[in-house]
Amino acid sequence: MSLLSVEGLTVALPPGGDRADAIEDVSFSVDAGEILCVVGESGSGKSITANAVMGLLPKGLPVRAGAIAFEGTDLLRLGAEPMRKLRGQRLAMIFQEPMTALNPLMRVGDQIAEVLQVHGAAADAARRVPELLAAVNLPDPAAIARSHPFRLSGGQRQRVMIAMALALEPALLIADEPTTALDVTTQMQILRLIREIQSRRGMGVLFITHDFGVVAEIADRVAVMQHGRIVEQGPAAEVLNAPQHPYTRGLIAAVPHGAAPERAAITGEEVLRVTDIAKTYRRGGIFGAKAVVRAVHDADFTLKRGETLGLVGESGSGKSTLARCVVKLVTPEQGEIAYDGTNLRLLSRAAWKPYRQRIQMIFQDPYASLNPRRTVGDTIAEGPVTHGTPRAEALGRARELLRLVQLDAGAMDRYPHEFSGGQRQRIGIARALAMRPDLLIADEPVSALDVSVQAQVLALLAEIKARLGLTMLFITHDLRVAAQICDRVAVMQRGAIVEQGPTRQVFSAPQHAYTRQLLDSIPGRGWTPPQL
Amino acid sequence: MPAFTVKDFWRRYRRNKGAVVGLVVLLLVMLMAATAPWLFPGSPWDMASAPFLPPGEMGMLLGTDSLGRDVAAGIAHGARISLLVGAVSTAAALLVGVTLGAIAGYLGGFADDAIMRFTEFFQTIPSFVLAILLVAIFTPSIGSVVFAIAVVSWPPVARVVRAEFLSLRGREFVQAAEVLGKSRVSIVLTDILPNALSPIVVLSSLMVATAILLESALSFLGLGDPNLMTWGFLIGSGRSVIRLAWWMSVFPGIAIFLTVLALNLVGEGLSDALNPRLARQRGGAA
Amino acid sequence: MEVSKLLGFLLRRGVKAAVVVLAIVVCNFLLVHAAPGDPASVIAGQSGAADAVFLEQLRRQFGLDQPLHVQLWIYVKSVLSLDLGFSHRQQQAVSLLVLERLPATLLLTGAAFVFAVTLGVTLGALAAQRVGKWADSLITVVALTFYATPLFWVGLMLVLVFSVWLEWLPSFGMSSVGADLHGLAVVWDVAQHLLLPALTLGLFYLAVYARLTRATMLEVADQDFVKTARAKGVPEGRILRSHILRNALLPVITFAGIQAGQLLGGSILVETVFAWPGIGRLAFEALLARDYPVLLGVFFCTSVMVVLFNLVTDLLYAIIDPRVEVAG
């Protein structure tokens, strides 16, 4: 008998949704001692599946059919009180957002102790809490237990969540995208931790993720979900290397290959030279404690015409700040940003204006980067109009650009909220191209997109870049993406560039310890996606 | 925060039944104010009948006061002052609040610090006491009443607008506008302000309600314009004779209550219609 | 929070409060000078026997013939030495008048505050618990009703019903005139007099707290850590108490600080309606007599009360929310 077996589970959506059921006829099982990965893109119903097992579905999403058997008990027929007793004791769950998953007003130790208290093991709390914190490799457990969550980093909080989940040694752990909000190096540590604890205790794990790299890293078996249904499931090696269903094949084909192809060295003249710039943030006022953050320092680089330079690094490494310095969204306090020989840093707002036509930017969040109150046509035409192009001409050009980014000309008069994330990102690209720039700065342009959409947008960017002969500064946290698109990469850590060089060279023979650590942390680095 | 058509807006607004009722009541009050000179010709200060007539007697629908003035006429004419004071003082407070909030939120840094300390100061001092002091020192008139109400009402606007501007300023579409080379004025007016309007609109309907309450309280204390009939004055003049003539205080109070309630309901409706996400979160309130 | 940090925090807030008090003094000074006409006659009060000799004396005392900044300095010095001027009409120092009336006002506003907060938070929490059900609708409607009703009118209606018609409770003053009471009887007498005014003042704020608590409880209930608690198997009652309510109280505390001034302002209206012998009543009497020194004194005194109360709410907030000390 399986530890958990879900049969024909169907959960309804509230009326008026884009489909009748959130998940439909979902069946799978998890054995003790195995990790089942449920993988799918956003909206596939994978999180709802996890919440249904925990009995934590919101009121608007009723279970319509099916059975969830856990250790022989049908959870769907269990009353609220017995179900509560199971939660935290036999079934435990960890969530995606470590920053918000802990009560900000309660000490971390008290939050862990609470699990023990509500399940009648309060007497053990004083002994168990430090033990548990030590078990998830947190340094100085006694001090951590006394801390409030805001003192801890994202990775530390996720460890606390895991400690909390393990407190009563549950039989099944449900992990809902537990590493998505974390940096790669932290992600790898957490994945290893889950793997280690799971095998040591023989726990079953239901692991929800959107990332096939993570699947390759951790899964024993895989179930692939699309539009609320499981379209394929099987042992990890089979699904990853010989996917059967067209949807799985498409997803796996879209996964960026970790390997960097051989590229010819770019020999054009120098377009941009950034030297000796520094940006420091100071926080705190007259009465408060002061904090100084050196966001960027020691980050010199150059860009040749037609080249794509990748700035890679984890969150807080200063890569976005550096890129924003180039377009004066952030003003560095020293250094030189030489563009075609002119130091842009010293220019006034007015003197900068002509350069706005030559340097443009693409942003990360497709939902925040378009003005919701302006039509797509106006959004794209706005830049040229600001610089004196007659409106009619600018709108005509906007129409052409929509075609270039593979959108229908009918999009002109519509508003951003009518488009999907991938489509919005194309609109953002068209807005930048409308200025006919020769230097394009792309700040994590695909990190907010699903993997299949991500592949399309990357292909579009590569094609446009080649066709228009653009120079590109490409910021990303995802080394697999950088490998695919960049001629050269510069690795940033704590505000400084620690290593730069041709992509293939940096990937195959990293010089700096941090670069090696980053490369080691690419999830699924041992797996080469099959050529499909 | 997508763009709405008027039809969308109305559809969402209509879903809140209380807000529809509020709108109807508000329109009725406005109608009463507009038609007061025809409904009750002549000055509401003139004697209309015998003093202290209970409601309904001798054709006096809501009775008469100690000098034989028609309470109903006072209420109808008072509506004009209440709505006028509410609207004008709110407009003035919005002008100050939006300007200061926008400067603080958009520029940040020292300007933000200075403006926010100033705003906090105004929020700390007891606003009603300040209003009384202002009207008393500048002698009661409709001008000083509007001025005093505006002076004590702008801080919440400045705070809301500042918060909105601060968050919008960091949004990527505003950064994109910077990168396109748009001027600061153009960014504030075409990119930030239109997206900050929803909370301002909701807030202003609540501010009109608060202003009407404030005005009535000032009039009640005898700080109204001595030449103008107001609801607060009516209640104030009925206070000492409440044992004799309850109607003098009761009916003007009901008028204030209905108007203020209507404005609050309209505010909730606007909020639901402009922030559909929040409306769902609130679980379909009232 | 440890003691040393607490002291540092108190010191920082104390300095801030002192700056605010100073700003209020300057504000008072500006008001006197912004008034139309001779500042001396404003200080004297219009209805005081403003004879020429007295005005001349005032001009000398406040240095009104000297440059503005010197006048400001003289004024600030006198206020900070607790000299709030002299009420010519009442023939008494303003500071004495205000201090004499302060306890009555503190009793009234304190009672109203406690009533409004405890009942308001309870009702708001109940409504949030039963969101969409009839109890929620009822509480929401009642809260909205009191929110939209003028304070002074509520007072009059309570007098009409409970004093005039039912004759249950006294309608004015703080104690029965001419009664010779001792011990507990005094307390009982004052309590009876206090009930209606405190209710009047409290009902509006009860509405405010109920609405605020309901809204923040619903907001907090949606947050991730509540789901975490549920996943841990914490019973609903405990989730409500130790997770939702505690977090939802933070905005309530902030709000209590913000509206302390409104509560004192409202007491002017309530004290006027019920002839409650506090500083609100004093302000109303001064208003009728155009006794500006007293009005300015009341303004100064209420402002200082608010600043002190804000100090307390800041401290309370800092004790509940561990993140504050970092934010400075």
Side-chain angles (χ1 to χ4, degrees):
Chain A
M1 190 182 66
S2 300
L3 177 66
L4 173 76
S5 109
V6 174
E7 285 297 331
L9 185 66
T10 301
V11 174
L13 273 181
D18 56 345
R19 55 181 194 246
D21 293 316
I23 56 172
E24 200 184 335
D25 197 18
V26 164
S27 302
F28 62 86
S29 65
V30 181
D31 285 330
E34 87 168 344
I35 299 183
L36 172 72
C37 272
V38 175
V39 57
E41 295 186 295
S42 51
S44 61
K46 54 193 193 300
S47 275
I48 290 184
T49 308
N51 283 304
V53 175
M54 279 304 275
L56 289 177
L57 284 176
K59 282 202 182 78
L61 303 174
V63 173
R64 272 236 296 254
I68 302 174
F70 172 71
E71 294 183 324
T73 318
D74 187 351
L75 298 185
L76 293 178
R77 291 172 190 284
L78 216 53
E81 186 54 21
M83 187 67 210
R84 177 191 72 73
K85 284 190 173 138
L86 276 184
R87 279 200 296 264
Q89 185 136 287
R90 304 297 300 156
L91 284 165
M93 185 161 180
I94 54 178
F95 301 95
Q96 175 171 350
E97 259 310 330
M99 302 315 270
T100 55
L102 291 166
N103 185 343
L105 303 186
M106 226 169 147
R107 287 174 203 279
V108 159
D110 294 343
Q111 299 197 45
I112 297 174
E114 192 178 30
V115 190
L116 300 163
Q117 286 156 11
V118 299
H119 293 290
D124 296 345
R127 181 179 53 85
R128 288 283 287 147
V129 169
E131 265 178 32
L132 284 161
L133 288 169
V136 293
N137 306 334
L138 279 167
D140 197 354
I144 296 259
R146 279 196 306 275
S147 306
H148 284 95
F150 77 101
R151 296 255 178 225
L152 309 183
S153 70
Q156 287 176 319
R157 293 189 208 193
Q158 202 59 297
R159 284 172 197 272
V160 169
M161 284 296 290
I162 294 172
M164 199 173 347
L166 297 177
L168 292 164
E169 315 218 330
L172 179 70
L173 175 70
I174 298 175
D176 186 2
E177 303 253 17
T179 60
T180 307
L182 305 174
D183 275 324
V184 274
T185 48
T186 319
Q187 161 167 291
M188 188 50 85
Q189 292 160 7
I190 297 288
L191 288 178
R192 283 186 185 136
L193 178 68
I194 292 177
R195 191 72 171 140
E196 176 211 313
I197 290 172
Q198 175 268 340
S199 59
R200 186 146 40 89
R201 305 196 178 186
M203 210 169 42
V205 176
L206 177 60
F207 195 105
I208 312 290
T209 182
H210 68 283
D211 187 339
F212 268 101
V214 170
V215 175
E217 202 63 46
I218 201 168
D220 295 315
R221 285 192 308 114
V222 185
V224 183
M225 285 192 80
Q226 180 198 19
H227 303 321
R229 290 173 161 276
I230 291 182
V231 294
E232 177 166 4
Q233 60 179 316
E238 260 174 47
V239 175
L240 287 171
N241 297 319
Q244 298 303 309
H245 194 275
Y247 178 71
T248 317
R249 294 170 69 89
L251 275 185
I252 288 178
V255 173
H257 305 273
E262 188 71 64
R263 291 172 194 270
I266 305 284
T267 53
E269 83 274 27
E270 190 177 288
V271 178
L272 183 71
R273 170 176 286 273
V274 172
T275 28
D276 200 25
I277 71 162
K279 177 68 196 174
T280 308
Y281 287 106
R282 288 184 171 77
R283 215 168 48 84
I286 316 160
F287 301 122
K290 286 188 182 66
V292 176
V293 180
R294 295 175 76 197
V296 176
H297 59 99
D298 298 312
D300 296 0
F301 67 89
T302 60
L303 254 177
K304 294 200 173 89
R305 189 165 304 287
E307 185 179 44
T308 299
L309 172 67
L311 282 181
V312 300
E314 297 182 289
S315 58
S317 63
K319 55 191 192 304
S320 266
T321 308
L322 181 55
R324 279 168 162 72
C325 284
V326 176
V327 286
K328 210 181 165 77
L329 280 174
V330 170
T331 313
E333 52 263 17
Q334 65 162 57
E336 190 180 16
I337 300 166
Y339 174 79
D340 272 354
T342 313
N343 186 358
L344 296 179
R345 190 179 75 86
L346 302 175
L347 298 184
S348 67
R349 199 179 164 95
W352 231 103
K353 196 171 170 185
Y355 292 95
R356 294 290 182 203
Q357 286 172 280
R358 301 172 61 186
I359 307 176
Q360 272 302 306
M361 184 154 178
I362 304 168
F363 294 86
Q364 170 173 3
D365 183 351
Y367 292 88
S369 62
L370 301 175
N371 187 336
R373 309 229 174 234
R374 188 170 292 136
T375 61
V376 168
D378 281 343
T379 296
I380 300 173
E382 182 180 39
V385 169
T386 302
H387 289 269
T389 309
R391 209 180 125 79
E393 189 185 323
L395 285 173
R397 169 123 173 95
R399 213 164 265 123
E400 282 171 37
L401 282 166
L402 279 178
R403 204 170 316 128
L404 182 69
V405 297
Q406 297 150 16
L407 283 176
D408 193 74
M412 288 289 287
D413 301 317
R414 288 158 66 192
Y415 286 90
H417 73 273
E418 301 175 54
F419 297 89
S420 70
Q423 288 171 324
R424 289 184 203 211
Q425 209 53 316
R426 289 165 195 271
I427 296 168
I429 294 171
R431 169 176 60 194
L433 295 179
M435 303 286 269
R436 301 177 197 273
D438 49 34
L439 172 58
L440 198 58
I441 294 168
D443 184 10
E444 302 258 14
V446 295
S447 25
L449 305 175
D450 273 332
V451 63
S452 54
V453 183
Q454 180 176 337
Q456 293 160 12
V457 172
L458 281 176
L460 175 73
L461 268 178
E463 185 206 317
I464 286 171
K465 198 207 126 191
R467 192 185 320 171
L468 304 177
L470 297 176
T471 308
M472 191 147 73
L473 184 59
F474 191 99
I475 293 93
T476 183
H477 70 282
D478 190 334
L479 286 99
R480 294 170 294 184
V481 169
Q484 205 172 29
I485 197 162
C486 300
D487 299 306
R488 285 193 308 127
V489 289
V491 180
M492 286 192 79
Q493 183 194 23
R494 280 185 237 116
I497 292 179
V498 295
E499 175 167 8
Q500 58 181 317
T503 311
R504 194 177 163 83
Q505 186 188 316
V506 171
F507 273 58
S508 54
Q511 299 300 306
H512 195 274
Y514 180 67
T515 313
R516 280 196 291 277
Q517 193 192 348
L518 272 186
L519 288 168
D520 278 343
S521 301
I522 297 177
R525 71 212 175 290
W527 169 59
T528 311
Q531 298 291 322
L532 297 166
Chain B
M1 235 191 305
F4 296 131
T5 61
V6 175
K7 221 169 109 189
D8 272 348
F9 173 84
W10 177 237
R11 189 171 50 78
R12 268 187 268 264
Y13 184 91
R14 225 175 31 196
R15 228 181 282 160
N16 186 334
K17 294 285 174 282
V20 177
V21 174
L23 188 62
V24 171
V25 172
L26 188 61
L27 288 174
L28 285 177
V29 175
M30 285 176 169
L31 187 73
M32 177 169 78
T35 57
W38 290 277
L39 286 175
F40 301 96
S43 165
W45 298 92
D46 293 342
M47 192 162 169
S49 192
F52 293 125
L53 280 182
E57 272 181 39
M58 293 182 66
M60 292 291 114
L61 187 62
L62 303 179
T64 60
D65 72 359
S66 52
L67 295 174
R69 295 179 292 219
D70 185 354
V71 173
I75 290 178
H77 284 267
R80 301 165 73 87
I81 308 306
S82 286
L83 293 179
L84 183 74
V85 169
V88 176
S89 57
T90 299
L94 280 178
L95 193 68
V96 177
V98 170
T99 310
L100 288 181
I103 294 172
Y106 183 68
L107 292 184
F110 177 73
D112 183 27
D113 263 359
I115 291 175
M116 285 332 284
R117 289 301 88 75
F118 186 64
T119 310
E120 272 172 23
F121 172 70
F122 264 86
Q123 281 201 308
T124 303
I125 54 183
S127 58
F128 186 60
V129 187
L130 179 61
I132 289 176
L133 207 50
L134 285 173
V135 177
I137 282 182
F138 292 102
T139 63
S141 72
I142 190 156
S144 64
V145 168
V146 165
F147 173 74
I149 295 177
V151 165
V152 300
S153 318
W154 65 267
V157 187
R159 290 187 84 104
V160 166
V161 172
R162 172 197 178 254
E164 285 290 315
F165 268 58
L166 202 61
S167 102
L168 285 167
R169 185 186 65 166
R171 291 278 280 281
E172 289 184 340
F173 72 85
V174 175
Q175 297 188 342
E178 289 273 350
V179 174
L180 289 178
K182 290 176 73 174
S183 70
R184 286 203 184 100
V185 175
S186 159
I187 289 174
V188 167
L189 292 183
T190 66
D191 289 303
I192 302 184
L193 194 58
N195 287 293
L197 272 185
S198 310
I200 300 177
V201 168
V202 174
L203 189 62
S204 38
S205 78
L206 301 179
M207 281 170 66
V208 175
T210 312
I212 289 178
L213 282 177
L214 260 175
E215 188 279 332
S216 70
L218 288 171
S219 299
F220 174 76
L221 291 178
L223 287 173
D225 191 318
N227 301 312
L228 297 171
M229 180 60 81
T230 64
W231 292 340
F233 170 80
L234 286 171
I235 300 176
S237 65
R239 179 171 76 87
S240 51
V241 288
I242 193 156
R243 284 164 200 278
L244 282 174
W246 55 267
W247 55 91
M248 280 175 63
S249 317
V250 170
F251 294 118
I254 292 175
I256 300 173
F257 166 67
L258 285 178
T259 311
V260 172
L261 182 69
L263 281 161
N264 275 294
L265 291 173
V266 167
E268 281 189 3
L270 287 174
S271 172
D272 287 359
L274 294 169
N275 313 304
R277 195 181 58 83
L278 276 178
R280 250 179 283 127
Q281 265 184 9
R282 294 197 313 151
Chain C
M1 208 165 13
E2 298 124 54
V3 179
S4 63
K5 278 180 181 156
L6 200 66
L7 285 177
F9 177 84
L10 269 179
L11 188 71
R12 284 201 303 274
R13 292 299 150 109
V15 170
K16 210 174 141 189
V19 172
V20 174
V21 170
L22 197 65
I24 290 165
V25 177
V26 174
C27 189
N28 255 349
F29 174 78
L30 291 177
L31 278 172
V32 171
H33 283 265
D38 182 2
S41 64
V42 173
I43 297 171
Q46 270 173 11
S47 62
D51 57 281
V53 180
F54 180 59
L55 287 184
E56 195 47 46
Q57 184 202 329
L58 278 177
R59 279 197 196 96
R60 256 199 323 279
Q61 186 192 342
F62 286 90
L64 293 180
D65 45 358
Q66 302 195 35
L68 211 58
H69 66 270
V70 178
Q71 295 183 32
L72 177 62
W73 175 237
I74 294 172
Y75 185 78
V76 169
K77 257 199 321 202
S78 66
V79 172
L80 292 188
S81 58
L82 287 182
D83 175 7
L84 296 176
F86 190 78
S87 168
H88 197 74
R89 187 180 169 78
Q90 310 226 30
Q91 288 298 320
Q92 216 177 355
V94 172
S95 45
L96 283 179
L97 278 173
V98 170
L99 276 181
E100 196 180 86
R101 302 286 197 104
L102 196 56
T105 296
L106 290 182
L107 177 65
L108 171 62
T109 47
F113 178 75
V114 170
F115 164 71
V117 169
T118 47
L119 202 57
V121 169
T122 311
L123 287 179
L126 278 176
Q129 273 299 92
R130 291 163 179 70
V131 68
K133 306 231 173 75
W134 68 265
D136 173 34
S137 307
L138 183 72
I139 292 169
T140 306
V141 166
V142 168
L144 192 60
T145 306
F146 285 116
Y147 190 68
T149 318
L151 259 180
F152 52 92
W153 189 70
V154 171
L156 283 177
M157 292 305 109
L158 290 178
V159 168
L160 194 61
V161 175
F162 293 101
S163 305
V164 179
W165 290 347
L166 297 174
E167 295 181 0
W168 285 356
L169 289 164
S171 67
F172 70 92
M174 192 170 165
S175 52
S176 304
V177 183
D180 186 26
L181 298 170
H182 300 283
L184 275 180
V186 177
V187 177
W188 176 239
D189 185 47
V190 170
Q192 277 183 314
H193 281 83
L194 178 64
L195 189 60
L196 286 185
L199 209 60
T200 304
L201 189 53
L203 279 174
F204 176 80
Y205 297 99
L206 175 135
V208 174
Y209 285 115
R211 286 160 64 96
L212 184 68
T213 306
R214 178 180 182 274
T216 51
M217 294 258 305
L218 289 179
E219 206 180 301
V220 173
D222 249 11
Q223 287 181 9
D224 287 353
F225 63 81
V226 175
K227 196 173 172 188
T228 302
R230 225 160 254 148
K232 289 198 294 198
V234 180
E236 287 298 319
R238 183 171 174 151
I239 290 181
L240 185 74
R241 280 193 313 278
S242 66
H243 292 282
I244 301 180
L245 198 57
R246 228 175 132 205
N247 279 278
L249 277 181
L250 291 178
V252 175
I253 294 174
T254 307
F255 190 77
I258 289 178
Q259 61 86 13
Q262 295 177 27
L263 200 64
L264 282 165
S267 76
I268 294 187
L269 291 165
V270 174
E271 291 181 14
T272 301
V273 171
F274 291 95
W276 186 264
I279 54 172
R281 179 78 190 165
L282 180 69
F284 181 66
E285 287 156 4
L287 199 58
L288 292 179
R290 296 289 184 264
D291 194 349
Y292 293 116
V294 173
L295 271 183
L296 288 167
V298 168
F299 177 56
F300 177 74
C301 174
T302 48
S303 300
V304 170
M305 300 306 304
V306 173
V307 170
L308 290 178
F309 187 72
N310 279 343
L311 215 55
V312 175
T313 53
D314 278 359
L315 188 64
L316 198 61
Y317 198 108
I319 288 169
I320 295 186
D321 190 340
R323 292 163 291 190
V324 169
E325 52 179 301
V326 177

